[in-house]
Amino acid sequence: MTGQAKLFHESWYRIADQRISLRPNVVVRRQVLRGEKWYVVQNPLSNQFYRLNPGTYEFVSRLSASRTVEEVWKEAQDRDPENAPGQGDIIELLAQLYHANLLHYNLPPNSEKLFERYKEKKQRILKANLKSIMFFRIPLFDPDALLQRLLRFIRLLISPVGVAVWCLVVVAGLKVAIENFPELRVQSQGIMAPSNLLFLYIGLVIVKTLHEFGHAFAVRRFGGEVHTMGVMFLIFSPLPYMDASSAWTFRNKWQRVFVGAAGMIFEVFVAACAIFVWVYTGPGVVHSLAYNMVFVASVSTVLFNINPLLRFDGYYILSDLLDLPNLHQHSARHLKYLVEHHAFGCKNCETPATTRREEVLFTTFGILSGIYRIFVFSMILLFVADQFLLAGMIMAVVCVVSWVLVPMVGILRYLGSSPRLYRTRTRAIAVCSATFAILFSFLFLLPFPNSFKAPGVLKSTDYVIAVNKASGQIAEVIATSGERVNSGDPLLRLTNEELELEIRESQAGLDEAHAQHRKAMHNQQADLDPIAGRIAFYEKRLRRLRQEQGDLIAKSDVRGIWVAPDLEDRIGMWISRGSPLGELINDDHFYFVSAVSQADVSELFAQGIRKAEVKLAGQASVPMVVTEYATIPMEQTHLPSVALGYAGGGDIAIDTRDAQGVKTSEPYYQVRASVQSDPEVALMHGRSGRIRFSLAPKPLAWQGWRKLRQLVQKRYQL
């Protein structure tokens, strides 16, 4: 309880004359948190816990059936007025202890009330499970007797010897994983393949079972008890879980931290053992199962459980490291306090934060955990809907009801009947109404800039692909890439020894034919015609070969920028006649060709475009004005550049069967836009970028609704 509590409370008369005490079977343990003493009250029958500060425990410990609550409170005020709880604190405390079945009072209906509270507890658990439908829990058995029989093994496992074995195995497993990392990465590509899903789930069950026993072993090792193990339906998939709440009573903070981390520690050890099995077994059931256990234990589970924003292992570890138990509840109470105190003007509300540091921590954690929880649940919804559409739709409805409708009903009930607002109810209703009106106007009425983007590439209106006219081996690059050249300028030099030999052979044949022709003119005039034919053949062949020899110097056909960035790396390579060498680009005029998806093309044909601009990669801060654009009114399946698809680092899905990387998996529409040159922007043929089409402003709600419909239509064809 905080020192900011109000000393008197208007509902005090309801409990002032009650004679209440702690139940006889309650166990009390002392802890030290942030240098202060605290007392943990435990009901061993229900395994429920409650933490009290010294002033509050001093009051609770003096409660008895022979004294009224008011008498004990007055005595506490007389003994230590600075630390004694106020009446509001006591009312809240007794209500919580009452619902935890930690109180006893001598009234005839006490037994009946006990069963009523038990039923209320079951109803609260059921409601909590319904709200957390994706994390539904069913307790099955009490493992404490088994853990007692294994206590000698547990002590050996969690000991210096066990730590040494763990370090040795994990380091060796890490070494093996690094040595075989390429094979691990290749096999991970099929982790979600239908043929692997069964092995993945079996590996997940094995790893999670060992994870939960890791927590149970740690609790038992330090003297705690574990009375609940069962099945948790994580996204409708049954997985084991255990209740380690008795670790809350451990006085040593590092023991509680170890209990929180024990599951992940066991998983890392399992991953190290499984990596050896995977390496030393061939393809088969054992090999696949071992790999899936490595994947689950070393990647997905560790990263998921260590996140403190979800109420899993990382959350409890953070709470213990900060000495802030019930961090989630305190953050929620602090956020509620901020609203009630600053917005509603309530003077009798209190915050669980005792320092400025705690206020910042509670505020930050409460906001971040809420946002992250919505993000995780949204991703889970999409994942489930991808596999089972009907289950995803049911979960979406449940989430809308639990996240939207139920909170709205709760807020209305709170505004209408909460005793906290008895003096400021009008202001609270006005603030909530104004907030709702502002939020509604912001989402549904206020127009916001509306636009969509499409990837594309810059192309010259006049460019030529230079090819070699003769086969040969690249010997020298004369013109470097990016250099401006004129028509006829040499670009590169090729060599062809076979061509030289053919020229010499043809020249020798021609010389021989000329000698035979001179001889036949004196002695065998009848052979002149055939010899003349041979001379013509060799002369024609020599002209062709010498033309090819001249073509070994590749020259520019037009004036422009020579673009061939890979020629230097191709020196010494043989290239056949007609192979592309590079591009000659006229840099006077360019246009931008973009690929617009089917989800956005309706806006193009609706003629609602107000403005368009292009931003090139690397210079996105300098937009280029689009003077005009034209939409080609037919579906396209081949990209204007490989740079737009997955194969070239773009974000357009391509057909996996296309080796060129330009055939798209879905049709798109092509838009060609003329751009106005800017001296600050380097215009280069093939440079990628994005074109942005500005539409008429629309409220955010309608823009989001359109994006959601597009997402549903694209993913589920609805």
Side-chain angles (χ1 to χ4, degrees):
M1 302 299 165
T2 68
Q4 300 175 1
K6 187 178 178 182
L7 184 60
F8 300 101
H9 197 276
E10 60 275 3
S11 299
W12 178 251
Y13 69 93
R14 298 178 183 272
I15 65 166
D17 296 330
Q18 297 291 329
R19 300 178 183 272
I20 303 174
S21 65
L22 289 175
R23 301 185 65 82
N25 60 340
V26 165
V27 177
V28 180
R29 294 182 175 88
R30 191 175 66 178
Q31 284 184 350
V32 177
L33 299 176
R34 291 167 290 168
E36 299 180 1
K37 289 190 299 183
W38 289 76
Y39 294 87
V40 179
V41 182
Q42 176 188 4
N43 184 349
L45 296 179
S46 61
N47 207 35
Q48 291 178 296
F49 303 86
Y50 199 82
R51 191 174 276 108
L52 306 174
N53 64 20
T56 305
Y57 176 72
E58 184 73 17
F59 167 80
V60 172
S61 63
R62 295 179 179 275
L63 291 173
S64 68
S66 60
R67 308 169 68 190
T68 65
V69 172
E70 185 165 14
E71 290 174 351
V72 177
W73 176 71
K74 288 182 178 179
E75 181 180 337
Q77 290 293 329
D78 294 337
R79 290 172 59 89
D80 189 359
E82 293 184 1
N83 297 318
Q87 293 179 353
D89 293 333
I90 292 176
I91 292 174
E92 182 179 354
L93 168 67
L94 295 180
Q96 292 174 346
L97 295 177
Y98 172 83
H99 287 292
N101 284 331
L102 295 172
L103 293 182
H104 172 78
Y105 52 95
N106 295 323
L107 292 176
N110 190 35
S111 299
E112 181 181 352
K113 289 291 184 182
L114 185 64
F115 286 105
E116 288 180 3
R117 293 198 300 273
Y118 180 77
K119 288 169 132 185
E120 290 176 1
K121 176 187 173 184
K122 291 293 185 183
Q123 291 175 355
R124 289 198 303 272
I125 295 175
L126 178 61
K127 289 180 181 179
N129 284 331
L130 290 176
K131 289 182 179 180
S132 303
I133 189 171
M134 288 179 279
F135 304 97
F136 192 80
R137 294 186 175 188
I138 299 178
L140 295 180
F141 70 101
D142 185 344
D144 197 62
L146 173 63
L147 295 176
Q148 288 183 10
R149 288 195 293 268
L150 295 175
L151 187 57
R152 182 175 299 178
F153 169 74
I154 294 172
R155 288 174 177 169
L156 177 63
L157 197 64
I158 306 176
S159 67
V161 175
V163 172
V165 173
W166 185 91
C167 292
L168 183 64
V169 173
V170 170
V171 170
L174 183 61
K175 178 178 179 294
V176 172
I178 294 174
E179 293 173 347
N180 296 272
F181 182 74
E183 292 80 3
L184 287 169
R185 183 176 59 183
V186 170
Q187 192 165 345
S188 68
Q189 296 175 359
I191 197 70
M192 294 303 296
S195 59
N196 187 64
L197 291 180
L198 178 61
F199 295 113
L200 181 63
Y201 177 70
I202 294 175
L204 182 63
V205 170
I206 295 174
V207 169
K208 287 300 295 181
T209 300
L210 295 174
H211 175 107
E212 297 304 321
F213 270 103
H215 288 306
F217 286 175
V219 171
R220 197 62 198 173
R221 174 64 178 82
F222 299 126
E225 297 179 355
V226 179
H227 292 286
T228 303
M229 291 194 78
V231 175
M232 175 177 67
F233 288 86
L234 180 64
I235 321 177
F236 305 120
S237 300
L239 294 172
Y241 88 97
M242 57 81 62
D243 181 9
S245 56
S246 64
W248 296 348
T249 62
F250 295 166
R251 294 184 179 182
N252 191 320
K253 174 177 70 174
W254 297 107
Q255 291 180 351
R256 299 194 299 271
V257 171
F258 183 83
V259 170
M264 292 181 286
I265 292 173
F266 272 60
E267 286 188 14
V268 172
F269 184 81
V270 170
C273 295
I275 195 72
F276 289 107
V277 177
W278 176 78
V279 168
Y280 293 109
T281 56
V285 174
V286 176
H287 184 78
S288 298
L289 184 60
Y291 178 81
N292 283 278
M293 291 176 64
V294 172
F295 178 83
V296 170
S298 63
V299 180
S300 60
T301 303
V302 171
L303 293 179
F304 185 72
N305 282 345
I306 207 169
N307 191 330
L309 296 179
L310 295 176
R311 297 181 66 182
F312 292 108
D313 297 342
Y315 164 77
Y316 295 105
I317 293 173
L318 178 65
S319 298
D320 289 321
L321 289 175
L322 297 177
D323 279 336
L324 290 174
N326 301 320
L327 178 59
H328 182 270
Q329 294 89 332
H330 287 168
S331 298
R333 285 180 56 197
H334 180 69
L335 292 178
K336 184 178 180 181
Y337 160 79
L338 292 178
V339 174
E340 290 180 340
H341 182 72
H342 297 286
F344 297 165
C346 296
K347 303 302 182 183
N348 60 343
C349 58
E350 61 187 48
T351 174
T354 58
T355 64
R356 182 65 178 174
R357 172 177 171 271
E358 289 185 5
E359 290 181 0
V360 174
L361 180 63
F362 290 156
T363 303
T364 305
F365 181 85
I367 294 174
L368 291 181
S369 62
I371 295 174
Y372 187 73
R373 193 177 301 111
I374 293 175
F375 170 76
V376 168
F377 273 73
S378 300
M379 294 299 101
I380 291 175
L381 280 176
L382 290 177
F383 173 78
V384 173
D386 287 343
Q387 308 298 323
F388 311 101
L389 180 58
L390 181 59
M393 295 175 63
I394 294 174
M395 289 171 55
V397 172
V398 172
C399 289
V400 169
V401 171
S402 59
W403 293 350
V404 179
L405 298 182
V406 172
M408 288 181 63
V409 172
I411 290 174
L412 293 176
R413 186 180 301 167
Y414 166 76
L415 292 175
S417 60
S418 175
R420 287 178 176 269
L421 306 178
Y422 75 101
R423 292 181 178 177
T424 60
R425 197 175 310 279
T426 302
R427 175 176 171 177
I429 294 175
V431 169
C432 289
S433 301
T435 303
F436 175 79
I438 293 173
L439 186 62
F440 181 85
S441 302
F442 184 81
L443 294 177
F444 292 91
L445 301 179
L446 188 64
F448 278 83
N450 185 20
S451 63
F452 67 92
K453 298 178 182 179
V457 292
L458 198 66
K459 286 186 174 292
S460 171
T461 56
D462 183 16
Y463 69 95
V464 175
I465 298 177
V467 298
N468 60 315
K469 299 177 182 179
S471 300
Q473 192 174 24
I474 300 177
E476 179 187 2
V477 176
I478 301 173
T480 58
S481 180
E483 181 180 343
R484 184 181 297 276
V485 297
N486 296 314
S487 178
D489 288 351
L491 302 175
L492 74 158
R493 180 174 63 84
L494 306 173
T495 59
N496 189 335
E497 295 181 359
E498 294 181 0
L499 182 60
E500 296 291 337
L501 292 175
E502 287 184 14
I503 291 175
R504 274 184 268 177
E505 179 187 358
S506 299
Q507 184 63 52
L510 180 61
D511 293 342
E512 182 183 5
H514 277 299
Q516 291 175 350
H517 185 271
R518 288 193 297 269
K519 181 178 178 181
M521 288 180 64
H522 296 285
N523 301 327
Q524 300 173 348
Q525 294 186 1
D527 294 336
L528 288 175
D529 288 342
I531 294 173
R534 288 180 62 194
I535 291 173
F537 167 75
Y538 280 117
E539 287 178 345
K540 182 178 180 181
R541 186 182 181 191
L542 275 172
R543 284 195 300 270
R544 179 178 60 80
L545 292 175
R546 287 196 174 101
Q547 178 65 39
E548 288 188 22
Q549 187 180 40
D551 289 338
L552 290 176
I553 302 295
K555 298 179 180 179
S556 172
D557 293 329
V558 296
R559 178 180 177 275
I561 303 295
W562 171 237
V563 179
D566 60 340
L567 273 185
E568 294 286 350
D569 299 330
R570 297 168 66 185
I571 292 179
M573 182 183 298
W574 178 273
I575 57 175
S576 302
R577 180 182 179 183
S579 300
L581 303 174
E583 294 179 337
L584 291 161
I585 300 171
N586 183 348
D587 59 345
D588 294 333
H589 300 285
F590 289 89
Y591 69 95
F592 190 83
V593 55
S594 59
V596 179
S597 66
Q598 297 188 46
D600 296 320
V601 75
S602 60
E603 300 289 352
L604 289 174
F605 292 119
Q607 300 298 320
I609 307 298
R610 293 193 170 188
K611 186 180 70 171
E613 60 183 17
V614 170
K615 294 182 178 180
L616 300 179
Q619 289 184 296
S621 60
V622 185
M624 301 171 60
V625 178
V626 173
T627 55
E628 59 179 354
Y629 69 90
T631 305
I632 299 177
M634 62 180 296
E635 292 182 343
Q636 306 281 335
T637 55
H638 286 76
L639 296 173
S641 172
V642 69
L644 301 182
Y646 286 167
D651 52 6
I652 297 179
I654 60 174
D655 191 338
T656 55
R657 297 168 294 181
D658 179 29
Q660 303 297 323
V662 294
K663 186 177 181 181
T664 59
S665 59
E666 295 182 356
Y668 72 94
Y669 285 83
Q670 192 176 110
V671 176
R672 297 187 177 184
S674 299
V675 294
Q676 183 177 333
S677 60
D678 191 313
E680 297 183 15
V681 180
L683 301 182
M684 292 183 291
H685 180 78
R687 188 176 181 185
S688 62
R690 290 183 176 273
I691 184 170
R692 177 178 178 176
F693 296 97
S694 298
L695 308 172
K698 283 185 179 180
L700 291 177
W702 306 127
Q703 295 185 38
W705 174 245
R706 182 172 181 272
K707 295 293 184 183
L708 179 61
R709 286 192 294 114
Q710 291 177 351
L711 176 66
V712 172
Q713 290 172 358
K714 182 177 180 180
R715 295 177 72 106
Y716 313 116
Q717 289 77 47
L718 294 179

